[in-house]
């Protein structure tokens, strides 16, 4: 008979303790320990996916590092170029990918849509939240069919691996990891021990059978993926699907990736028939306007290897309350306060008695330091109530002494601005070294100080 014991688990980080503690020694949080029943070592139940008749299971042995043959990872290219980009060039065989996002943002739709488009891949979609009829209704709305697509509405990993052994799928999608439970752990689905153990079982399956597995996960109210933090350490890739439900656009962002860059970004538009890839996001992030308006500046930014042109909107008004307001949407508020201090100190502009509101158009969040120059110019434009001429964009980081610092990948930024029909781009004078400006048809204006930018624009 199997030995049953109880243990205390931290609901924040997954730390296991033999006794209850008021404060978690791992993450430092208070009152997070919950007692759960733990059952270990059920013979014959841990490797139900293994089939000794096939050669898919990898057998482990000790090997010298010099004997390891390095080959490029085998990647499965999907019809979705945005998903390929954030994964680093496609789905890696044997990888474990965790996808998190707000409820109703479109996680299930995105991966159901991609699974239905992989016509030559045998895909198993495991759902613990929806019935077959609900998934069929969504597939009918997407208007896509696939004879190699299979459904399983089950939450027990014992049953799931039994069905996997029969089907031998080439791709597995689990929606969601918080609904699964394993007979190895006697606690409720969604608890720390259940999430950790079910993820560990799926990880062993992915690595030993070389089958890619996607895990869709819930998120907490503060935006982090629900469950212990160790869940993100166990998987190979963590993707965040984000966006405002009041906007039509969704952003798939890479947080962790063992097989590629962590700065990539994919953009989709939510439609009645599923998610549509946005191949040229610069056009949707810049509002189409005929009249010149003050407080608007265009910045050439980079998200991973992709250049984007985004619109920065600023509003500077006289403060009617005792303390001036500072509000930023899509931009770091502390960075905004820093730029206001630079303008106050180096430029002599009295923003200390003004309310300042800043917005990045399109509902995205930008962390590229090259947006500093556009934010500064939008603030000056609104302060002077003088519009910046059309077809001018900016790319530069602003230092504390008021200097315009160089940014990376400046040639790609210039090329993107030229492709979208801009006539002039302001860059740092320190970016001129090593680039050939004669191959561009756009006018490149190098500047070194905040004062120079103000004199040339206003």
């Amino acid at each position: 008979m199997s030995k049953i014991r109880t243990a205390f688990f931290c609901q924040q980080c997954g730390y296991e303790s033999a006794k209850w503690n008021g404060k978690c020694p791992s993450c430092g949080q208070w009152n997070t320990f919950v007692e759960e029943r733990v059952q270990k070592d059920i013979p014959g139940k841990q490797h139900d996916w293994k089939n000794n008749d096939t050669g898919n299971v990898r057998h482990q042995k000790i090997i010298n590092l010099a004997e390891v043959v390095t080959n490029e990872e085998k990647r499965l290219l999907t019809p979705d170029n945005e998903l390929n980009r954030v994964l680093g060039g496609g789905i890696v065989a044997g990888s474990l990918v965790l996808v998190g996002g707000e409820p109703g943002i479109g996680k299930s739709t995105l991966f159901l849509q991609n699974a239905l488009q992989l016509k030559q891949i045998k895909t198993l979609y495991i759902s613990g939240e929806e019935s077959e009829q609900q998934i069929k209704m969504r597939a009918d709305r997407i208007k896509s069919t696939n004879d190699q697509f299979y459904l399983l509405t089950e939450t027990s990993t014992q049953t799931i691996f039994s069905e996997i052994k029969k089907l031998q799928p080439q791709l597995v999608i689990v929606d969601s990891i918080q609904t699964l439970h394993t007979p190895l752990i006697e606690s409720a689905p969604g608890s720390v021990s259940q999430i950790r153990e079910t993820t560990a079982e799926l990880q062993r399956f992915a690595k030993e059978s070389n089958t890619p597995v996607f895990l869709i996960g819930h998120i907490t109210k503060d935006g982090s993926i629900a469950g212990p933090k160790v869940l993100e350490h166990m998987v190979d890739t963590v993707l965040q699907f984000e966006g405002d439900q009041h906007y039509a656009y969704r952003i798939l962002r890479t947080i962790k990736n063992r097989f590629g860059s962590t700065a990539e970004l994919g953009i989709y538009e939510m439609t009645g028939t599923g998610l549509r890839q946005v191949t040229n996001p610069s056009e949707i992030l810049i509002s189409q306007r005929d009249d010149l308006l003050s407080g608007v500046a265009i910045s050439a930014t980079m998200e991973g290897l992709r250049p984007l042109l985004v619109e920065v909107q600023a509003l500077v008004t006289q403060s009617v309350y005792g303390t001036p307001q500072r509000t930023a949407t899509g931009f770091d508020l502390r960075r905004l306060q820093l730029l206001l201090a630079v303008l106050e100190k180096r430029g002599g502009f009295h923003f200390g008695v003004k309310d300042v509101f800043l917005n990045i158009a399109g509902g995205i969040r930008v962390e590229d330091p090259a947006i500093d120059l556009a934010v500064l110019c939008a603030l000056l434009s609104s302060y002077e109530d003088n519009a910046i001429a059309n077809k001018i964009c900016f790319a530069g980081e602003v230092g504390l002494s008021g200097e315009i610092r160089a940014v990376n990948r400046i040639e790609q930024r210039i090329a993107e601005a030229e492709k979208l029909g801009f006539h002039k781009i302001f860059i740092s004078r320190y970016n001129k070294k090593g680039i050939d400006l004669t191959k561009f048809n756009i006018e490149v204006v190098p500047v070194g100080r905040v004062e120079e930018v103000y004199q040339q624009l206003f």
Side-chain angles (χ1 to χ4, degrees):
M1 184 174 180
S2 300
K3 182 179 179 181
I4 299 176
R5 67 182 180 90
T6 61
F8 293 87
F9 292 92
C10 173
Q11 302 298 298
Q12 187 70 25
C13 68
Y15 181 83
E16 181 179 351
S17 174
K19 62 179 182 179
W20 185 86
N21 292 314
K23 181 180 180 181
C24 176
S26 176
C27 63
Q29 298 294 317
W30 289 88
N31 298 324
T32 56
F33 277 93
V34 174
E35 185 179 14
E36 297 178 3
R37 295 184 66 187
V38 180
Q39 185 174 355
K40 297 287 186 182
D41 301 330
I42 299 180
K45 296 300 182 183
Q46 292 189 359
H47 305 289
D48 283 343
W49 69 85
K50 288 188 176 181
N51 188 342
N52 295 327
D53 297 333
T54 65
N56 294 331
V57 178
R58 185 176 61 185
H59 299 282
Q60 304 293 344
K61 65 177 182 178
I62 297 175
I63 186 171
N64 189 284
L65 180 63
E67 299 175 11
V68 178
V69 180
T70 57
N71 296 318
E72 189 175 352
E73 300 97 351
K74 294 181 180 179
R75 293 182 182 266
L76 170 64
L77 290 178
T78 71
D80 189 340
N81 293 326
E82 301 296 304
L83 181 61
N84 292 335
R85 176 183 288 108
V86 297
L87 290 175
I91 303 173
V92 177
S95 61
L96 190 63
V97 182
L98 176 63
V99 185
E102 292 278 352
I105 205 70
K107 303 183 297 297
S108 301
T109 302
L110 174 65
F111 285 95
L112 177 62
Q113 176 179 303
N114 277 282
L116 290 173
Q117 291 174 351
L118 292 168
K119 306 291 186 182
Q120 306 300 323
I121 302 299
K122 186 185 293 185
T123 304
L124 175 61
Y125 189 98
I126 302 167
S127 177
E129 300 178 338
E130 297 176 299
S131 65
E132 293 96 336
Q133 291 77 17
Q134 290 175 301
I135 299 173
K136 175 64 175 176
M137 289 170 59
R138 183 183 292 118
D140 292 340
R141 191 171 68 248
I142 295 173
K143 298 179 181 177
S144 181
T145 59
N146 185 357
D147 294 336
Q148 295 292 317
F149 182 81
Y150 297 88
L151 281 176
L152 176 62
T153 54
E154 180 59 55
T155 58
S156 172
T157 57
Q158 181 179 350
T159 306
I160 288 171
F161 287 131
S162 176
E163 295 298 321
I164 285 177
K165 182 178 178 180
K166 299 176 187 175
L167 183 65
Q168 294 292 318
Q170 297 169 276
L171 175 66
V172 175
I173 301 172
V174 178
D175 184 11
S176 64
I177 186 61
Q178 278 84 8
T179 62
L180 299 191
H181 67 89
T182 173
L184 301 177
I185 305 292
E186 290 193 359
S187 59
S191 62
V192 169
S193 54
Q194 282 286 4
I195 292 175
R196 185 169 57 182
E197 185 63 31
T198 53
T199 304
E201 290 183 9
L202 289 165
Q203 182 190 42
R204 289 193 295 269
F205 161 70
K207 300 304 178 186
E208 296 183 12
S209 66
N210 216 27
T211 305
V213 178
F214 283 88
L215 308 177
I216 299 176
H218 300 161
I219 65 169
T220 60
K221 60 182 180 181
D222 61 352
S224 60
I225 295 176
K229 196 68 178 177
V230 71
L231 177 63
E232 298 182 36
H233 294 287
M234 295 171 68
V235 301
D236 298 310
T237 304
V238 180
L239 305 180
Q240 187 81 13
F241 201 42
E242 57 191 40
D244 193 331
Q245 294 188 6
H246 301 290
Y247 287 89
Y249 300 106
R250 304 285 187 266
I251 296 172
L252 186 63
R253 194 185 300 273
T254 311
I255 299 176
K256 170 191 175 182
N257 193 358
R258 289 174 178 162
F259 308 111
S261 171
T262 58
E264 292 299 340
L265 179 125
I267 299 181
Y268 298 88
E269 181 184 7
M270 178 64 79
T271 66
T273 56
L275 290 158
R276 183 185 68 85
Q277 303 175 51
V278 178
T279 56
N280 190 3
S282 296
E283 293 183 354
I284 67 168
L285 298 176
I286 301 175
S287 62
Q288 306 300 321
R289 50 191 169 84
D290 298 325
D291 300 332
L292 288 177
L293 302 173
S294 64
V296 176
I298 308 298
S299 174
T301 70
M302 295 289 298
E303 285 289 346
L305 301 176
R306 164 186 278 187
L308 297 176
L309 264 66
V310 300
E311 180 176 304
V312 181
Q313 301 172 343
L315 178 63
V316 180
T317 62
Q318 190 67 34
S319 178
V320 294
Y321 302 105
T323 303
Q325 299 181 67
R326 303 283 186 264
T327 303
T329 303
F331 188 74
D332 187 8
L333 182 59
R334 290 173 295 182
R335 189 72 183 175
L336 171 62
Q337 294 170 341
L338 183 148
L339 294 176
L340 291 174
V342 170
L343 288 173
E344 186 97 22
K345 176 71 174 180
R346 307 299 177 187
F349 298 96
H350 301 293
F351 282 94
V353 294
K354 304 284 187 179
D355 289 338
V356 177
F357 306 93
L358 189 75
N359 177 50
I360 306 298
I364 71 168
R365 181 171 184 83
V366 181
E367 297 179 355
D368 185 5
I371 200 175
D372 286 355
L373 188 56
V375 170
L376 186 141
C377 293
L379 292 170
L380 290 175
S381 173
S382 182
Y383 183 91
E384 298 286 353
D385 200 16
N386 191 356
I388 298 174
N390 273 333
K391 303 302 180 181
I392 295 179
C393 64
F394 307 88
E397 181 182 356
V398 178
L400 291 180
S401 60
E403 80 278 11
I404 310 301
R405 301 172 61 89
V407 295
N408 63 348
R409 302 186 183 275
I410 190 64
E411 294 190 18
Q412 290 179 256
R413 301 172 195 265
I414 297 174
E416 180 73 7
E418 181 182 343
K419 185 179 74 173
L420 291 179
F422 282 80
H423 303 153
K424 185 184 295 187
I425 180 171
F426 284 78
I427 67 171
S428 170
R429 67 168 59 151
Y430 306 106
N431 266 127
K432 288 180 61 179
K433 300 177 182 178
I435 64 172
D436 183 15
L437 298 179
T438 59
K439 64 181 181 181
F440 299 109
N441 296 323
I442 186 175
E443 181 185 354
V444 179
V445 183
V447 289
R449 303 280 303 173
V450 172
E451 299 84 7
E452 297 178 39
V453 182
Y454 180 78
Q455 291 170 3
Q456 296 207 37
L457 289 178
F458 307 107

